[in-house]
Amino acid sequence: MSKDMKIKRKNKIKHSIPSLIFDSMNYLFMIIFCVTCLYPFLFLVSMSLSAGTSNFASLRLIPEVIDFSAYRRVLSNEFMVSGFINTVIRVGIAVPLVMLAIVFTAYPLSKKYFPHRGFWTGFIVFTMFFSGGLIPSYLVIRGLGLLDSIWALILPGLIPAYNMIIVRNYFMSLSPDLEESARIDGANDFTILIRIILPISAPIIATVSLWTAVGHWNAWFDSMIYIQKASKQVLQVVLRRIVLEGTQEMMDLNTGMDDMASISPDNIKAATIMVATIPILLVYPFVQKYFVKGIMVGSLKG
Amino acid sequence: MFKSCKKWLSMTLIICLLVTTLAGCKSNKEKPVDSGEKANTETSEKKEENKETDKKDPFAKYQPIEGKTYDIAWTSGQLAPTDENAEMTQYWNEKWNVNLDIWNIDSGQWHEIINLRFATGEIPDKVRIIGFPTLKKYYDQDLLAEIPEDLLQHMAPTLYKYHTTDVPGALSYGKIDGKLYAIPHYSISANYRRPVVWRGDWLENVGITKTPETLDEFEEAMYKFVKEDPDKNGKNDTYGLSTTGLNAVYGAYGFLPYNWKTRDGKLVYGGVQPEMKQALEKLSKWYKDGVIDPEFITGENKGGYSHISHSFVTGQVGYTSHGFYYHWRPQMGEDDKDVIGHNIQELLKTTPEVVDSLIFGLPPVGPEGKRGVPQETIVSGIFDGLGKHLEEEPDKLGKLLLIFEDLVANFDNFITARQGMEGKHWEWQNNMPVRLDPYTDGKELSKIGAMPVMTLISPYDYESKLLPLRIKFANDNQFDVGGIREELLAPLESQGKYKTELDKIQEETYVSIIIGDKPIDYFDTFVEEWYKSGGEQLEKEANEWYQSLSK
Amino acid sequence: MKVNAAKNLAQTKKRRENQFHLYWKHKYLTLMFIPAIIYFLVFKYAPIYGIQIAFKSYRFKDGIFGSPWIGLENFRHLFGVKSFWQVFGNTLIISMYNLIFGFPAPIILALLLNEITHQRFKKTVQTISYLPHFVSWVVLGGLFVQFLSPSLGPINAILKALGRDPIFFLADPKWFRTVLVLTSIWKGVGWRSIIYLASLSGINPELYEAAEVDGANRFKKMLHITLPGLTPVITIMLIFAVGGLIHDNFDQIYNLLISPTVYQVGDVLSTYTYRMGLVKMEYSFATAVGLFTNIISFILILMTNTITKRINEYGIW
């Protein structure tokens, strides 16, 4: 888009009154919406800085005193530290591997000429609805000798069917012209996929990478089952343990030993949540970079 | 379309078949991962010898083999995962000449994870059992070894002695069909009922000088808490009581809505007794008059640690029964290093002056002289059992019983199991064992393999030495008077079928009567429906169990 | 177009008989796809024999194959539960509301964001809007109880200031489902809009410019360019969303369903079976419940897929 066109567009908007009303309402709505979205975060931040004076039962947003001791305690918790490292490693390995697997699965399935395409899609979608459940899955992981290994957390979810379908659909919506011209130049499917398809699929690849990263960051159940060594546990398991401590959900177990247990105060819980959440929040701005208009002019089917 | 569907189907079928056969082959090899596999071969030789000695000494085969290092897989409570080579685990390993394998199981998903490991053939030697229904289930699934009572008495005399004298008859809760399968836990805390806490300053402000003792006095105080501005802030913003406060009213009529209790030699369900109708009538009147906090429906606790009554701590209500006695224990002198009650901790943060004014009273006495608030059951529902495979390895079973004995053989062992080494993890101060930093945090103790990883039962004797102050607090304030206990301590056969439904209609009925959505006479309809929807069957089964207990 | 399609159909029919040589012809694609086949066989199809647990009474010691068959007993148990149909109905009704109001919400948010010209503001809003996705329902549950409280909550404070009676949102059957739907929209809308925002960047800007030249206003552009550009992704998301109708959000409902007064409208399959304590303890029953919901889900997906394919040629298959 050229510069004067942009200016022209802006001018045009300025002149139309309904448009102006719409814009102001839109901005207003967005601001209010953002305030509500920020609220729980600010609440947690405030509580984590409160030196234990406020609790989950208050709605206070501004702490009386600012005190970083909760963070100091959380960051000196060895489980938090090892959990953090394990989770970072997990996400670091999972995202590239999963994306590679997704793309390699989605690309053939996006081609109308790939044999038995319908069957293979069904073959994959079927697994979204029918699974053998926990016991046989555990036996498979144990049989492969993956217990207590990071691969137990990555391999079972290597190709998430849902994400794969989304990527496949995106590939399908791309115009075939690009591919055909490359094929005339003698490129094979690998080259076409990597040189042509992937670059113009940046927004969807970025989105699914974000989903994968967040999914692996937040996953806890698989780790709770497959990882038995405390030092190999992921962050979310540690987080859950701290946050759920003493709450209704843990009640049944605490009977009998609850009297001696020291329950983490709410400011520690809040600080734990913040420490475990902020790093993954920082990923989004990087993803946004790829949401650029006109990144693939003319590459979509009209 | 159809053609492709057919092909699709046939291909799926072929693949499925292929896979299932493959999987089948694999699972044939599925074999319990026995933690004591090494031991197996050795014991077979020993069995031969045993046959002869059996005649002379029936317990001889249970003697552990001298000099043998046993591998012991151990499940128990944890506040945090235990380190791989935890300090206390090493200590016991050396002391007992064993290799302890402490399973780290997250307590948030305990049942799911432990069941998964059982289901895939991994069964520990020492099995922690959480909940009465779980004991029954493990028994039904044939996971537990029998612990003959005379053997327990022989191998673990101290444990047996404490168990049978502290809570006579308690072992029977670990028995099924007369055989002992698990050792029930009990705690001195179960001797104390839920607290009865008054805002003393409020009572004073509304001109009540004597702590209410009867239901009428109780009612008077409740009304004054609403009408006479007890917090003197000039606003009409106080209530008498909230969720847990209701219990005292039910109790004054002799029953608690969710408890089974004996009545004329039979077990009956409190929720359907005619007395509850009277209680509900009173409560619905109170609700109408604004005595009950309307938010009693969502509870007194608003998040975080569940034993804190936020309604009380923030001064919305002047009376509560929330938490246990130790959640209300104030600082008792300067030497007091025990944990201060969490509700007190909260009050100290916001309104410390209230702490001194708190009054711990007795549950109010009803029209027929009855009273009560809930109290814990005599056995807690936590058990320790032994894996079924130990029936084949009597020497190892014996070894475990010796370990059980050693853990409670004397106070030193008990406290070592509970809070680690004296001088390092805790020390004596003024005749009280005080945990040293950072081991004041139970999670740190869990990490080194102490509390609650190695704790079994807690004899009253030991617990009074361990926590003298809180027990003094409870006794001084008569927490041992006026509790009503759940008396049905076993899962019923048809419970799974009916209980959720019955609880649901009861909860709906009680709340809607109190808030006036349903007339008080709806209670009769509810009772009828309760019996019809399975209550009758449950009552029958409860009494069958009750009869079997006295046998 | 139609003639072409017919020709294609004829060709594919001819080819179908001998499609296997195509694997060789597209050997690179085949090569790419083989790992996926292995993956699904090992991790998804190998364990699938576990489904039989739904028809068995699972015994730890006997394993999956050794446990005795009990036929449809688990299903009979599930359907025999007195509240089953009420709970099942609640699940569907709440999901329907979530579909009707919750499904378009992220699309609308994406469209509105698309209209914002101030780039930094837009990016900031995007980033903030996805924050609630990261706060667990355990924390949010407690916050909402406070927020919606009739005595302390700010919403009721406003109502009271306006001279109205406070509403006990979490205990009022008339309001409970609304609360569920609104909170779930609020929590997920930003996160779910990401996929639409990503797809928006794929729309050719030339189309807008052409429309401008034709004098189209913003609303028209949105309707005739932006929305059609999003159709493929909306279709796929819709198919999955319909398939998910039978699944309820346990974490949300469990943390908000604290009042017995709203059981009649808010108790759903997962919370009910959770209270039965069976999901935790009984594999057979849990597998049966899972199988039941998944079969329904599968049927729903197949149906939606067929319908959407009729309407706009997009679909999973």
Side-chain angles (χ1 to χ4, degrees):
Chain A
M1 208 185 291
S2 70
K3 233 183 190 167
D4 4 295
M5 254 184 100
K6 247 186 199 163
I7 294 163
K8 224 159 90 192
R9 225 174 129 184
K10 264 190 190 160
N11 285 344
K12 209 170 160 189
I13 290 163
K14 255 183 200 158
H15 286 299
S16 138
I17 291 174
S19 195
L20 208 66
I21 294 172
F22 171 81
D23 270 331
S24 24
M25 294 301 283
N26 196 8
Y27 275 79
L28 186 71
F29 167 76
M30 290 297 169
I31 290 168
I32 294 172
F33 176 59
C34 282
V35 169
T36 67
C37 289
L38 273 173
Y39 184 85
F41 257 81
L42 293 181
F43 169 77
L44 286 170
V45 171
S46 141
M47 195 153 68
S48 68
L49 293 172
S50 71
T53 50
S54 100
N55 57 41
F56 276 111
S58 72
L59 289 168
R60 201 187 304 167
L61 275 189
I62 298 147
E64 277 172 351
V65 275
I66 292 197
D67 175 291
F68 285 93
S69 64
Y71 285 93
R72 233 170 281 135
R73 266 185 66 188
V74 169
L75 293 173
S76 64
N77 179 333
E78 55 178 299
F79 289 132
M80 282 296 285
V81 175
S82 68
F84 196 89
I85 295 168
N86 292 332
T87 297
V88 168
I89 294 175
R90 173 180 183 167
V91 173
I93 298 177
V95 173
L97 263 186
V98 169
M99 289 316 295
L100 194 73
I102 286 182
V103 166
F104 276 8
T105 316
Y107 187 62
L109 289 180
S110 72
K111 294 294 156 211
K112 287 230 162 77
Y113 48 77
F114 188 68
H116 304 119
R117 189 172 72 129
F119 165 76
W120 290 119
T121 312
F123 172 78
I124 291 170
V125 173
F126 184 80
T127 62
M128 289 175 77
F129 301 94
F130 301 93
S131 78
L134 217 47
I135 303 170
S137 305
Y138 182 86
L139 288 171
V140 167
I141 298 293
R142 196 173 75 187
L144 294 171
L146 295 180
L147 286 185
D148 270 333
S149 147
I150 192 149
W151 297 106
L153 311 180
I154 291 170
L155 291 182
L158 190 64
I159 310 178
Y162 180 84
N163 293 359
M164 195 280 293
I165 296 285
I166 302 272
V167 173
R168 185 205 65 154
N169 253 52
Y170 197 86
F171 287 166
M172 281 166 81
S173 69
L174 296 174
S175 152
D177 302 349
L178 292 162
E179 186 195 326
E180 255 144 50
S181 60
R183 207 176 289 282
I184 291 164
D185 295 343
N188 67 32
D189 287 307
F190 271 110
T191 330
I192 293 173
L193 174 61
I194 288 159
R195 291 273 167 77
I196 296 168
I197 305 292
L198 284 190
I200 56 173
S201 304
I204 198 74
I205 299 289
T207 306
V208 176
S209 300
L210 174 74
W211 287 353
T212 310
V214 170
H216 275 277
W217 186 274
N218 286 341
W220 53 271
F221 191 67
D222 53 354
S223 186
M224 217 178 245
I225 289 169
Y226 298 133
I227 305 293
Q228 286 150 12
K229 282 196 182 115
S231 60
K232 293 191 171 176
Q233 208 48 275
V234 297
L235 187 60
Q236 292 297 327
V237 174
V238 182
L239 170 84
R240 275 179 68 83
R241 205 158 50 220
I242 295 171
V243 173
L244 292 184
E245 214 172 75
T247 62
Q248 224 69 40
E249 279 167 70
M250 294 288 242
M251 283 288 278
D252 50 338
L253 280 198
N254 281 338
T255 359
M257 57 190 188
D258 156 282
D259 55 330
M260 292 281 281
S262 6
I263 305 297
S264 296
D266 288 348
N267 61 332
I268 299 282
K269 291 186 177 181
T272 310
I273 296 173
M274 291 322 291
V275 169
T277 314
I278 288 174
I280 191 69
L281 291 179
L282 300 178
V283 176
Y284 192 39
F286 291 100
V287 171
Q288 272 179 334
K289 242 182 14 200
Y290 296 99
F291 295 177
V292 182
K293 277 229 171 100
I295 189 170
M296 25 178 216
V297 178
S299 57
L300 279 189
K301 278 194 265 185
Chain B
M1 178 74 190
F2 285 108
K3 212 172 165 192
S4 73
C5 261
K6 242 191 229 165
K7 215 166 191 180
W8 201 93
L9 259 174
S10 58
M11 249 174 120
T12 322
L13 229 88
I14 292 169
I15 289 179
C16 280
L17 270 173
L18 213 105
V19 165
T20 27
T21 37
L22 270 174
C25 293
K26 199 172 58 189
S27 59
N28 282 344
K29 278 181 266 164
E30 253 174 57
K31 190 181 156 226
V33 178
D34 210 320
S35 46
E37 254 172 312
K38 266 182 268 168
N40 269 339
T41 43
E42 292 168 44
T43 43
S44 54
E45 290 161 30
K46 201 175 177 245
K47 259 183 216 155
E48 297 298 309
E49 299 167 31
N50 279 344
K51 272 184 190 152
E52 285 163 36
T53 46
D54 263 7
K55 285 163 205 154
K56 290 170 225 158
D57 177 2
F59 301 131
K61 66 175 176 179
Y62 292 106
Q63 278 310 318
I65 298 159
E66 205 72 43
K68 181 178 158 188
T69 311
Y70 288 90
D71 289 327
I72 291 172
W74 186 276
T75 55
S76 67
Q78 282 176 314
L79 298 169
T82 305
D83 292 339
E84 273 155 63
N85 296 306
E87 190 176 347
M88 293 314 294
T89 315
Q90 302 286 30
Y91 169 84
W92 299 114
N93 279 346
E94 263 166 53
K95 184 167 190 218
W96 299 327
N97 188 26
V98 292
N99 275 318
L100 283 173
D101 170 20
I102 312 273
W103 288 15
N104 285 327
I105 295 167
D106 204 277
S107 41
Q109 308 285 324
W110 172 276
H111 289 290
E112 262 159 308
I113 296 171
I114 202 94
N115 281 355
L116 181 66
R117 295 187 68 174
F118 287 173
T120 52
E122 300 175 30
I123 296 165
D125 299 304
K126 185 228 167 203
V127 188
R128 169 58 56 90
I129 302 153
I130 299 175
F132 294 100
T134 317
L135 173 65
K136 179 76 168 41
K137 184 185 159 85
Y138 289 178
Y139 167 78
D140 288 341
Q141 298 269 7
D142 205 14
L143 297 174
L144 297 174
E146 190 201 338
I147 308 170
E149 196 171 339
D150 51 349
L151 180 71
L152 182 71
Q153 192 173 8
H154 176 80
M155 304 287 275
T158 325
L159 185 150
Y160 189 81
K161 187 194 82 198
Y162 276 120
H163 215 295
T164 44
T165 50
D166 280 349
V167 196
L171 271 181
S172 59
Y173 297 107
K175 287 182 190 169
I176 296 171
D177 291 339
K179 288 180 179 171
L180 184 67
Y181 284 93
I183 300 162
H185 282 214
Y186 62 87
S187 161
I188 201 165
S189 290
N191 290 339
Y192 306 115
R193 57 163 167 77
R194 296 292 180 128
V196 166
V197 192
W198 292 91
R199 279 284 292 256
D201 52 341
W202 283 23
L203 285 175
E204 208 180 300
N205 287 345
V206 298
I208 295 175
T209 45
K210 176 174 148 280
T211 312
E213 280 169 17
T214 67
L215 192 59
D216 291 336
E217 290 165 4
F218 188 87
E219 185 167 18
E220 187 199 337
M222 287 301 138
Y223 271 81
K224 286 191 169 170
F225 278 179
V226 179
K227 311 279 182 215
E228 298 186 10
D229 192 20
D231 56 359
K232 298 278 171 232
N233 68 352
K235 278 188 251 167
N236 182 18
D237 59 354
T238 50
Y239 296 101
L241 73 176
S242 189
T243 325
T244 58
L246 309 184
N247 281 324
V249 181
Y250 297 126
Y253 289 94
F255 293 90
L256 290 173
Y258 294 96
N259 273 15
W260 291 83
K261 196 170 179 255
T262 40
R263 175 172 210 159
D264 309 327
K266 263 183 71 189
L267 266 189
V268 294
Y269 188 64
V272 292
Q273 299 311 305
E275 286 84 351
M276 290 300 97
K277 191 176 173 185
Q278 293 167 269
L280 284 172
E281 198 167 2
K282 186 150 280 239
L283 289 174
S284 70
K285 180 173 169 284
W286 288 9
Y287 186 87
K288 212 174 83 210
D289 295 339
V291 170
I292 301 174
D293 178 1
E295 284 175 68
F296 84 95
I297 302 173
T298 48
E300 286 177 46
N301 175 267
K302 315 284 182 192
Y305 188 34
S306 59
H307 287 304
I308 296 172
S309 168
H310 294 110
S311 305
F312 186 89
V313 168
T314 55
Q316 272 191 286
V317 296
Y319 170 89
T320 188
S321 229
H322 200 85
F324 292 101
Y325 69 96
Y326 45 82
H327 294 115
W328 293 95
R329 193 184 69 88
Q331 178 97 24
M332 297 165 78
E334 278 177 24
D335 299 326
D336 181 359
K337 297 282 171 61
D338 196 357
V339 185
I340 304 301
H342 286 82
N343 286 291
I344 302 295
Q345 287 182 24
E346 287 298 309
L347 281 173
L348 286 172
K349 280 182 212 161
T350 47
T351 43
E353 66 281 1
V354 173
V355 175
D356 288 331
S357 86
L358 293 183
I359 292 173
F360 302 102
L362 288 169
V365 179
E368 283 172 42
K370 291 180 180 145
R371 70 164 157 215
V373 290
Q375 182 169 349
E376 292 307 282
T377 50
I378 48 173
V379 292
S380 63
I382 293 175
F383 305 85
D384 282 305
L386 300 172
K388 181 78 178 176
H389 55 277
L390 293 184
E391 281 184 358
E392 306 293 313
E393 301 168 59
D395 55 317
K396 194 170 174 184
L397 192 149
K399 179 79 185 177
L400 272 148
L401 291 183
L402 290 178
I403 289 175
F404 285 6
E405 167 70 4
D406 199 47
L407 284 170
V408 290
N410 51 55
F411 183 72
D412 282 344
N413 288 5
F414 173 79
I415 196 166
T416 308
R418 190 130 173 164
Q419 44 199 45
M421 310 303 292
E422 186 181 350
K424 182 166 183 194
H425 304 122
W426 62 275
E427 63 183 25
W428 289 104
Q429 288 178 13
N430 300 313
N431 276 328
M432 277 180 273
V434 173
R435 290 190 263 167
L436 301 171
D437 242 5
Y439 302 101
T440 45
D441 187 344
K443 286 173 291 251
E444 294 296 325
L445 285 176
S446 241
K447 254 192 251 178
I448 60 162
M451 184 200 86
V453 183
M454 298 307 290
T455 43
L456 292 175
I457 62 161
S458 309
Y460 289 171
D461 242 19
Y462 298 170
E463 223 172 339
S464 342
K465 271 191 225 168
L466 194 68
L467 306 160
L469 287 178
R470 59 173 78 182
I471 287 161
K472 183 177 181 316
F473 167 74
N475 288 331
D476 288 353
N477 290 293
Q478 291 184 284
F479 278 90
D480 49 347
V481 179
I484 299 179
R485 274 176 161 151
E486 172 61 59
E487 292 179 40
L488 174 67
L489 296 178
L492 302 175
E493 202 66 51
S494 313
Q495 188 171 298
K497 210 162 154 192
Y498 301 125
K499 190 164 180 302
T500 322
E501 193 59 38
L502 292 175
D503 282 354
K504 189 170 166 166
I505 57 173
Q506 183 181 355
E507 277 167 36
E508 286 172 342
T509 306
Y510 272 56
V511 172
S512 38
I513 289 179
I514 294 174
I515 64 176
D517 276 1
K518 294 259 165 67
I520 180 73
D521 285 333
Y522 182 73
F523 183 80
D524 303 324
T525 323
F526 154 71
V527 172
E528 209 176 294
E529 201 184 331
W530 190 87
Y531 277 109
K532 252 197 345 233
S533 317
E536 203 167 346
Q537 176 67 16
L538 291 188
E539 196 177 272
K540 193 174 137 246
E541 288 172 16
N543 279 294
E544 279 164 12
W545 170 82
Y546 188 64
Q547 300 305 328
S548 77
L549 203 63
S550 52
K551 257 184 230 164
Chain C
M1 194 58 185
K2 262 199 178 153
V3 182
N4 257 347
K7 227 193 238 167
N8 276 343
L9 206 72
Q11 275 175 347
T12 39
K13 253 187 192 161
K14 221 185 274 169
R15 253 182 277 155
R16 193 173 283 149
E17 274 96 65
N18 195 4
Q19 273 201 337
F20 284 93
H21 79 277
L22 288 176
Y23 286 107
W24 179 249
K25 186 179 168 207
H26 302 291
K27 51 186 175 298
Y28 289 105
L29 294 184
T30 310
L31 203 61
M32 272 182 219
F33 197 66
I34 285 173
I37 300 177
I38 297 172
Y39 161 78
F40 280 102
L41 285 180
V42 171
F43 288 99
K44 305 289 164 179
Y45 282 94
I48 219 160
Y49 66 95
I51 283 188
Q52 56 179 298
I53 305 178
F55 308 97
K56 286 185 159 184
S57 166
Y58 190 76
R59 296 186 52 82
F60 289 151
K61 296 204 81 179
D62 301 326
I64 292 171
F65 289 100
S67 294
W69 291 96
I70 51 164
L72 296 175
E73 192 52 43
N74 287 317
F75 294 92
R76 226 169 280 146
H77 185 173
L78 176 66
F79 301 135
V81 167
K82 218 180 154 201
S83 287
F84 176 78
W85 294 109
Q86 186 200 50
V87 165
F88 185 65
N90 284 342
T91 309
L92 287 182
I93 291 170
I94 293 169
S95 294
M96 275 307 265
Y97 286 153
N98 270 327
L99 186 72
I100 296 167
F101 301 103
F103 184 76
I107 304 173
I108 294 169
L109 179 69
L111 292 177
L112 290 179
L113 276 169
N114 196 41
E115 291 303 319
I116 288 172
T117 41
H118 191 289
Q119 285 305 312
R120 196 175 295 161
F121 181 75
K122 183 169 152 188
K123 284 195 172 172
T124 315
V125 174
Q126 282 175 24
T127 313
I128 290 173
S129 72
Y130 96 137
L131 288 182
H133 174 76
F134 292 87
V135 187
S136 69
W137 277 113
V138 181
V139 174
L140 288 180
L143 271 179
F144 279 124
V145 171
Q146 292 294 96
F147 218 77
L148 302 172
S149 143
S151 59
L152 301 166
I155 295 182
N156 276 305
I158 297 171
L159 285 179
K160 276 184 254 178
L162 294 172
R164 291 174 186 240
D165 280 338
I167 299 166
F168 200 166
F169 293 100
L170 288 177
D172 189 338
K174 288 199 286 292
W175 280 95
F176 190 69
R177 284 173 183 161
T178 312
V179 170
L180 286 183
V181 173
L182 284 179
T183 52
S184 108
I185 291 178
W186 168 81
K187 186 172 193 278
V189 67
W191 174 250
R192 281 182 299 207
S193 70
I194 293 176
I195 178 78
Y196 301 111
L197 290 166
S199 308
L200 276 176
S201 54
I203 296 172
N204 192 343
E206 286 165 12
L207 292 175
Y208 290 105
E209 283 155 28
E212 246 161 75
V213 174
D214 292 346
N217 64 18
R218 290 166 77 184
F219 183 71
K220 278 203 170 134
K221 277 188 281 180
M222 193 193 271
L223 207 64
H224 296 296
I225 301 169
T226 318
L227 261 183
L230 289 180
T231 310
V233 68
I234 291 179
T235 310
I236 281 292
M237 301 305 277
L238 184 70
I239 294 172
F240 282 126
V242 174
L245 274 180
I246 181 76
H247 297 290
D248 47 59
N249 186 350
F250 174 77
D251 278 338
Q252 180 198 17
I253 300 178
Y254 177 78
N255 281 299
L256 293 178
L257 187 75
I258 30 185
S259 159
T261 49
V262 291
Y263 279 178
Q264 36 166 324
V265 294
D267 205 8
V268 291
L269 222 48
S270 65
T271 48
Y272 191 88
T273 47
Y274 178 84
R275 285 208 309 281
M276 285 173 87
L278 285 169
V279 175
K280 273 193 285 183
M281 302 281 291
E282 306 271 356
Y283 276 116
S284 300
F285 186 74
T287 316
V289 175
L291 190 59
F292 166 70
T293 51
N294 281 334
I295 287 174
I296 293 187
S297 185
F298 193 57
I299 293 169
L300 286 172
I301 285 236
L302 287 179
M303 273 166 35
T304 338
N305 195 55
T306 318
I307 295 169
T308 53
K309 271 209 115 157
R310 288 258 167 87
I311 297 172
N312 66 11
E313 80 174 284
Y314 297 110
I316 300 179
W317 282 281

